[in-house]
Amino acid sequence: MTSLDRLEDRLSTIYQLNLQEAFATNAAINDLLWELWTILGGNQDKLRDLRTRAQVLKDVERYRAVAVAYVAAAGHTLQGVEAELQALRDRLVEYVADSQEIPVEVHLASIERTIRRLREDKNQSPAIVPAV
């Protein structure tokens, strides 16, 4: 969760930087469009460069939004896993307190298998990349 929080902070920083750069780029495009030489057909290279920069900034924002969604989903998943583990711990304490029918080793092996399965699921799930 700490890593996800740090990642979320970095994504917020990227968002702020992206906003500032997008504002500056749009202002530069507007200034360039008002110049007489641009109106007459000059400055096409500058205009194309600025429009490309603006498109890159839009792409960065789109990818950042997807990353934020992934971070949020990972956080929710971790909270669910944590809740399941807590429930398992509670049941384990009940079983140990009530009877000695199921040994602790069996519970620990079950937890290890669950963790292994979660890791395998994580490694097998394909990365989803948004269309550009």
Side-chain angles (χ1 to χ4, degrees), residues 95 99-103:
Y95 283 128
S99 68
Q100 296 296 330
E101 292 177 17
I102 301 175

Side-chain angles (χ1 to χ4, degrees), residues 39-51:
I39 294 171
L40 295 174
N43 291 334
Q44 291 303 312
D45 291 339
K46 277 185 174 181
L47 190 57
R48 187 175 25 248
D49 178 55
L50 287 172
R51 286 187 173 148

Side-chain angles (χ1 to χ4, degrees), residues 7-8 11-12 15 62-74:
L7 182 56
E8 198 169 17
L11 289 171
S12 177
Y15 177 71
R62 188 171 56 242
Y63 287 120
R64 187 205 63 83
V66 170
V68 167
Y70 282 138
V71 168

Side-chain angles (χ1 to χ4, degrees), residues 4-132:
L4 288 175
D5 288 340
R6 282 192 303 242
L7 182 56
E8 198 169 17
D9 290 342
R10 288 178 182 161
L11 289 171
S12 177
T13 302
I14 289 170
Y15 177 71
Q16 294 299 322
L17 291 172
N18 195 38
L19 278 179
Q20 291 171 0
E21 188 61 29
F23 180 75
T25 300
N26 287 331
I29 288 172
N30 289 335
D31 289 346
L32 190 61
L33 288 173
W34 278 103
E35 289 181 15
L36 181 59
W37 180 242
T38 302
I39 294 171
L40 295 174
N43 291 334
Q44 291 303 312
D45 291 339
K46 277 185 174 181
L47 190 57
R48 187 175 25 248
D49 178 55
L50 287 172
R51 286 187 173 148
T52 301
R53 286 174 52 191
Q55 184 59 46
V56 167
L57 291 170
K58 287 178 188 175
D59 291 344
V60 167
E61 176 53 29
R62 188 171 56 242
Y63 287 120
R64 187 205 63 83
V66 170
V68 167
Y70 282 138
V71 168
H76 290 297
T77 301
L78 285 176
Q79 288 173 347
V81 168
E82 183 179 24
E84 289 177 14
L85 285 174
Q86 186 58 45
L88 183 60
R89 282 186 203 107
D90 293 343
R91 284 186 285 166
L92 179 62
V93 168
E94 286 177 16
Y95 283 128
V96 170
D98 291 343
S99 68
Q100 296 296 330
E101 292 177 17
I102 301 175
V104 174
E105 291 81 13
V106 173
H107 289 290
L108 292 175
S110 174
I111 292 170
E112 287 175 355
R113 282 192 307 272
T114 302
I115 291 171
R116 191 177 314 116
R117 181 182 50 85
L118 286 171
R119 285 183 182 153
E120 289 171 358
D121 288 348
K122 175 188 158 200
N123 291 337
Q124 291 177 358
S125 63
I128 299 173
V129 179
V132 177

